[in-house]
Amino acid sequence: MKIVDAKVIITSPGRNFVTLKLTTDSGITGLGDGTLNGRELAVASYLSEHIAPLLIGRDPRRIEDIWQYLYHGAYWRRGPVTMSAISAVDMALWDIKGKSFGAPVHELLGGACRDGVLVYGHANGSDIPDTIAAVQNYLGMGYRAVRAQTGVPGLTGVYGVGRGDLFYEPAAKGWPSEETWSTEKYLNVVPDLFNQLRDTVGPDVHLLHDGHHRMTPNQAAWLGQRLEDARLFWLEDVTPAEHQESFRHVRNHTTTPLAVGEVFNSVHDCSTLISEQLIDYIRTPPARAGGITGARKIAAFAEVYGVKTGFHGATDLSPVAMAAALQVDLTIPNFGIQEYMRHTPETDAVFPHSYHFADGYLHAGTAPGLGVDIDETLAENFPYVPAYLPVNRLEDGTVHPW
Ligand code: KDG
Ligand code: MG
C-alpha cells in the first residue's frame, strides 16, 4: 500500500480546524487532526509544505517508522507546531490501518480495557449560584464528572466562564483581546464555590477545576489545602506548566489531586512530573503528543509511576482528535478520565462520527479506523476565520499567563 495524496483541509464550522486527509493507492483514506488554537495556519503550512511531499509514495502501514522519520528527520525536536503536524499524520495512519483490517483502532491496540470512557463536562456561571445550577444541569444530562469555573467579583472575562453552556470556546474572532486578571480576587471565591458545590451535589459526583497556569506555587498550595474537604477529582494547571519543579512545593503541601499537561507535546515535558510522582493525571492528548503513537508512549511511562491520564478534550480539538483520544483511552490500563467539551452542531455535521455519549461515558463505536469522517463539501461552506485566545494582564498592566 502507498500514500498517493496528502490534503490539508481548513474549515471553520464555528471554530477553525486543520484536518489532514491521506489517500492510498488502495482507495482507503485516513484523517488526522492538526488543529493548534490560534496557530492553525502554521500547522497547515508545516503539513502542506514540509510533510505532505515526504509522505507520497510511503507505505502507510509503517506507522512507527514514519513517526521516527518525521520526528528525527526535522532535526528541530518537539514544539507544538511540529508535534501537532506529526499528530495529524499519525492519526491518519492509524485510521488507514484500522480501515485496512476492518477494525476499530482500539482492537489493534490490544482491545478495550473498559466498557466506556468516563468523561467530564464544563459547567460555568457568572457567580457561585449560577455555577452550581450549571453543574446540576450537567448532572441532569447524565454526567458523572463536571468541571466548574465561576466568575470572580471585580473581574470581567474570567477564563472558563461565559461563552455558552455546552460549547464554551475561549478563542474570539480577530486579533487577541486582552483580559484583566487578579489571582488574589480569584482565590477569594474558589474555595467557597467548591465547598458549596460539594454540599449541594453530595459525595459521589466527581468535581474538577482548572487554574489555567495562573498561580504561584504558594498560592496553589494554599488553594489545594482549602479544597481538600471538597475532595476534588483534580485541580488542573495550578502553576505555569513549563515549571515542572514548582509542583514539588505544591505536592508537598496538599493532598488535592493534581493534573497538568495540555500544553505539553512530548514525554520530555513531563518526565520529572511523572517520575517523581508530582502529579496524579497527565493531560497531553494524542493531538499534541504526536498522535496515538506519541500519546501511548507518555501513557506507558506514566503507568510505571502510577500516574493516570486525563486527556485534553476542549472544542479546539476536532472530532478527529476526540476519536483518536477515545481509542487510546479504551486501551491503556492507567486511564483516568477524558475531557469532553461538546462541539457545535455545525462541527458535528462536518465531522460525522461513531462515538456517542451515554450515562456519563463516551463510547467509541465499532466503525473501522477512528470512526470519524469529513464532509468536504460542507466544510467548504465554512472558510478559515482568524481567531485568537485572549492575552492576560494584571490590574497594573503586567502581562500574566492566560
Ligand atoms: O485552546 C486553549 C483551550 O483548549 C484551553 O484553554 C482549554 O484549559 C482548557 C481545558 O482544560 O479545556
Ligand atoms: Mg485546561
Side-chain angles (χ1 to χ4, degrees):
M1 203 191 298
K2 289 203 178 336
I3 298 169
V4 294
D5 190 44
K7 181 179 180 186
V8 179
I9 303 162
I10 306 174
T11 181
S12 191
R15 72 153 348 276
N16 295 315
F17 294 111
V18 175
T19 308
L20 177 69
K21 180 176 182 180
L22 298 181
T23 304
T24 62
D25 56 358
S26 67
I28 296 177
T29 59
L31 294 180
D33 181 22
T35 307
L36 183 61
N37 204 349
R39 296 293 183 272
E40 293 89 354
L41 299 185
V43 182
S45 152
Y46 194 108
L47 280 168
S48 55
E49 302 297 322
H50 303 295
I51 286 187
L54 305 176
L55 293 177
I56 306 302
R58 262 172 222 282
D59 184 342
R61 294 170 297 191
R62 298 183 59 174
I63 298 178
E64 181 70 38
D65 181 64
I66 292 177
W67 198 99
Q68 297 293 337
Y69 178 83
L70 295 176
Y71 183 82
H72 292 288
Y75 182 66
W76 309 108
R77 287 141 167 81
R78 302 153 66 184
V81 173
T82 300
M83 295 309 289
S84 296
I86 294 177
S87 299
V89 175
D90 184 82
M91 287 179 209
L93 296 176
W94 277 105
D95 196 19
I96 290 168
K97 191 181 282 291
K99 287 174 183 168
S100 73
F101 282 102
V105 168
H106 63 264
E107 293 295 357
L108 306 178
L109 299 176
C113 286
R114 54 195 52 80
D115 301 328
V117 171
L118 178 71
V119 296
Y120 71 91
H122 275 221
N124 69 85
S126 56
D127 56 19
I128 291 178
D130 263 13
T131 308
I132 292 176
V135 170
Q136 286 173 312
N137 191 32
Y138 270 89
L139 299 179
M141 288 187 280
Y143 283 80
R144 297 159 190 264
V146 188
R147 185 187 99 155
Q149 307 288 137
T150 187
V152 175
L155 296 180
T156 51
V158 173
Y159 165 74
V161 179
R163 298 221 185 105
D165 291 338
L166 292 175
F167 314 120
Y168 172 80
E169 168 53 59
K173 294 189 175 81
W175 294 110
S177 60
E178 295 198 1
E179 293 180 350
T180 304
W181 178 249
S182 158
T183 309
E184 292 76 14
K185 288 184 170 135
Y186 160 81
L187 291 175
N188 285 339
V189 69
V190 177
D192 288 344
L193 167 66
F194 282 96
N195 290 326
Q196 291 183 37
L197 249 181
R198 182 53 79 201
D199 286 347
T200 309
V201 300
D204 295 331
V205 175
H206 297 309
L207 296 173
L208 301 85
H209 182 70
D210 190 348
H212 226 253
H213 318 273
R214 295 169 182 205
M215 286 170 266
T216 63
N218 255 342
Q219 290 169 328
W222 182 91
L223 179 62
Q225 287 179 3
R226 296 302 171 291
L227 296 179
E228 281 169 13
D229 287 345
R231 286 183 294 108
L232 265 59
F233 186 94
W234 80 34
L235 180 60
E236 178 192 342
D237 286 351
V238 284
T239 51
E242 60 270 43
H243 300 159
Q244 295 193 52
E245 298 74 13
S246 298
F247 280 78
R248 291 198 187 106
H249 182 73
V250 185
R251 190 62 156 179
N252 282 335
H253 286 86
T254 180
T255 58
T256 294
L258 301 171
V260 71
E262 67 185 39
V263 297
F264 296 162
N265 46 68
S266 99
V267 72
H268 306 289
D269 297 318
C270 46
S271 52
T272 302
L273 291 170
I274 292 174
S275 64
E276 293 188 22
Q277 299 178 312
L278 301 178
I279 55 171
D280 300 273
Y281 298 94
I282 182 69
R283 303 252 302 130
T284 316
R288 295 281 94 82
I292 288 173
T293 301
R296 279 171 59 85
K297 290 180 200 289
I298 295 178
F301 181 63
E303 182 193 348
V304 174
Y305 294 97
V307 173
K308 294 186 175 184
T309 62
F311 291 152
H312 188 211
T315 36
D316 46 317
L317 286 81
S318 90
V320 180
M322 179 58 75
L326 293 175
Q327 303 297 333
V328 180
D329 291 333
L330 275 176
T331 53
I332 51 176
N334 54 327
F335 166 77
I337 200 166
Q338 170 68 51
E339 181 178 13
Y340 175 46
M341 249 169 121
R342 286 171 191 247
H343 290 108
T344 61
E346 291 79 11
T347 298
D348 285 339
V350 170
F351 296 96
H353 49 262
S354 67
Y355 65 80
H356 66 278
F357 174 85
D359 291 335
Y361 296 91
L362 272 177
H363 300 275
T366 54
L370 296 178
V372 57
D373 207 347
I374 185 166
D375 181 334
E376 291 185 62
T377 312
L378 189 56
E380 281 175 14
N381 294 342
F382 301 104
Y384 168 77
V385 182
Y388 290 90
L389 295 169
V391 175
N392 244 353
R393 288 186 188 275
L394 299 179
E395 289 171 308
D396 70 355
T398 307
V399 172
H400 191 73
W402 179 77

